[in-house]
Amino acid sequence: MRKILSVVLEAVKVCLNVLMGALCFIKIDHDVALIPNAEGGIGQFDYYYSIYDKLFREDLQFLVYIALAVMTASVALSAVTCIVKDNRKIRIASHIIFAVSAIFFLALLFYTMQIQYNY
């Protein structure tokens, strides 16, 4: 039963890493620009950004590539953990790398949500 739970946990970690990798490129941040128009009214324009878009505009896109590399390492280590079942050191390393990838993704997410543009 413990081995089945371990495999399920590693599969969940792989799915979460894939989801975090996809969220780096999905436009989840929404900005609204209120700009005066020629008739004296105010026009509303919606802008949508992904984590990559905002970091690209700030010339920090390499951080997305670092995050993707850490996520890839986490997926690889999870696969190795499923193959080599009785190695405690690899299992602990898999948990640590997953935690690092999740924290790095959340840090990028919160950092990019703080970037505001003047339209």
Side-chain angles (χ1 to χ4, degrees):
M1 185 67 166
R2 181 165 164 79
K3 291 184 181 183
I4 294 172
L5 184 64
S6 176
V7 171
V8 169
L9 179 64
E10 297 302 324
V12 168
K13 290 193 310 189
V14 168
C15 291
L16 286 175
N17 275 313
V18 170
L19 179 66
M20 289 186 300
L23 283 175
C24 288
F25 298 101
I26 295 174
K27 296 181 184 293
I28 57 175
D29 190 18
H30 177 240
D31 284 341
V32 177
L34 300 174
I35 301 173
N37 57 19
E39 292 116 22
I42 295 178
Q44 177 177 336
F45 298 95
D46 295 321
Y47 296 97
Y48 297 93
Y49 299 102
S50 66
I51 292 174
Y52 180 78
D53 292 338
K54 282 200 166 186
L55 290 176
F56 184 79
R57 287 185 69 174
E58 299 294 321
D59 200 29
L60 296 172
Q61 68 269 18
F62 66 91
L63 292 175
V64 174
Y65 297 125
I66 292 172
L68 291 175
V70 174
M71 290 176 205
T72 304
S74 178
V75 168
L77 208 49
S78 292
V80 168
T81 303
C82 287
I83 294 169
V84 182
K85 298 195 186 301
D86 293 331
N87 195 334
R88 187 170 186 258
K89 291 180 182 178
I90 293 176
R91 191 173 65 244
I92 290 172
S94 173
H95 295 323
I96 290 171
I97 294 296
F98 174 73
V100 168
S101 71
I103 290 169
F104 194 58
F105 171 76
L106 289 175
L108 283 180
L109 179 67
F110 290 135
Y111 175 72
T112 56
M113 294 300 169
Q114 299 304 316
I115 298 173
Q116 299 295 319
Y117 297 116
N118 295 326
Y119 298 102

